[in-house]
Amino acid sequence: KNQVEQSPQSLIILEGKNCTLQCNYTVSPFSNLRWYKQDTGRGPVSLTIMTFSENTKSNGRYTATLDADTKQSSLHITASQLSDSASYICVVSENNDMRFGAGTRLTVKP
Amino acid sequence: SQTIHQWPATLVQPVGSPLSLECTVEGTSNPNLYWYRQAAGRGLQLLFYSVGIGQISSEVPQNLSASRPQDRQFILSSKKLLLSDSGFYLCAWSRGGTRGGYEQYFGPGTRLTVT
């Protein structure tokens, strides 16, 4: 059973709209949570990283939130651009292990 | 600054042929190194990781092997490829220490198609 579940599996939005991606995890003990962006055919690139004590972290138009009590995280994208089309991967770490979500495939259409 | 290189970028190999993918890191020393595979439409699967020269840990039983002959060089190999070895292979590095503790930086990937 995957310990990191992402939803939705895929999402299509119009350029300029906002969207929110979800990540639920059961990894314990929790060390940190990262969101990565992966363009098609490329390696993932880190967007944000949050530790247990952090509730929110922003990187430009990307804002990640973390609720360690409910073990949920979200990635909010504001004013989407065509270049936001990519897969977004949630990664939850214990001290000696990392658990990857399957990713959400986002398509931004003009 | 640190950079990570992988080659080749794409590879088409027949079933039963050998494989060698190379990954090198610049600008850091004693990094942790990782090999991942990503099947089409699937998440990343950790195959191997290494905390030092000659130290390799395998995460899943498979047809592949890894070696780390130098501090910043990581090689993924197979003696005989299977169709199921097709996928997108990613190398990554992180600062030394616990595997999950530090940010991982990924290379550009190698697209392997076994025919």
Side-chain angles (χ1 to χ4, degrees):
Chain A
K1 178 171 184 268
N2 194 358
Q3 295 181 299
V4 180
E5 299 287 344
Q6 290 189 243
S7 62
Q9 189 174 28
S10 62
L11 181 63
I12 301 174
I13 62 174
L14 293 176
E15 185 179 13
K17 299 296 185 182
N18 304 335
C19 68
T20 300
L21 314 180
Q22 299 291 342
C23 174
N24 297 338
Y25 63 93
T26 58
V27 175
S28 182
F30 171 87
S31 176
N32 57 65
L33 185 147
R34 306 182 179 100
W35 282 94
Y36 284 88
K37 178 187 178 186
Q38 185 178 20
D39 293 317
T40 301
R42 307 290 294 274
V45 175
S46 178
L47 294 175
T48 63
I49 178 170
M50 290 181 290
T51 60
F52 181 87
S53 60
E54 295 177 292
N55 301 117
T56 185
K57 184 72 69 77
S58 290
N59 179 359
R61 295 179 296 101
Y62 301 101
T63 299
T65 64
L66 173 64
D67 186 333
D69 292 331
T70 62
K71 298 187 177 180
Q72 295 179 327
S73 176
S74 64
L75 180 69
H76 186 74
I77 304 174
T78 304
S80 62
Q81 301 176 359
L82 298 179
S83 59
D84 292 331
S85 294
S87 289
Y88 292 84
I89 303 170
C90 175
V91 184
V92 183
S93 295
E94 309 168 67
N95 280 340
N96 288 308
D97 207 355
M98 295 175 66
R99 304 291 182 183
F100 289 81
T104 292
R105 177 70 204 176
L106 174 66
T107 302
V108 180
K109 292 194 170 184
Chain B
S1 63
Q2 299 86 13
T3 54
I4 179 169
H5 305 278
Q6 278 185 252
W7 64 92
T10 60
L11 191 59
V12 180
Q13 293 281 99
V15 168
S17 64
L19 172 73
S20 180
L21 304 182
E22 189 163 344
C23 170
T24 59
V25 181
E26 297 176 355
T28 187
S29 58
N30 198 30
N32 286 355
L33 296 173
Y34 310 82
W35 277 112
Y36 291 89
R37 176 169 58 205
Q38 187 175 36
R42 305 288 296 276
L44 289 164
Q45 179 186 35
L46 180 63
L47 302 176
F48 301 96
Y49 75 95
S50 170
V51 299
I53 295 174
Q55 301 179 62
I56 309 294
S57 296
S58 175
E59 287 296 293
V60 293
Q62 58 201 303
N63 184 44
L64 303 169
S65 62
S67 62
R68 184 170 177 175
Q70 300 181 48
D71 181 45
R72 288 167 289 177
Q73 183 186 30
F74 206 23
I75 298 172
L76 184 69
S77 304
S78 174
K79 292 182 179 178
K80 289 186 178 182
L81 283 169
L82 306 172
L83 286 175
S84 58
D85 291 324
S86 294
F88 191 51
Y89 288 83
L90 287 159
C91 180
W93 76 272
S94 70
R95 287 172 55 190
T98 57
R99 195 171 81 188
Y102 297 109
E103 174 109 35
Q104 290 191 13
Y105 301 91
F106 289 85
T110 294
R111 173 74 59 192
L112 171 66
T113 303
V114 182
T115 60

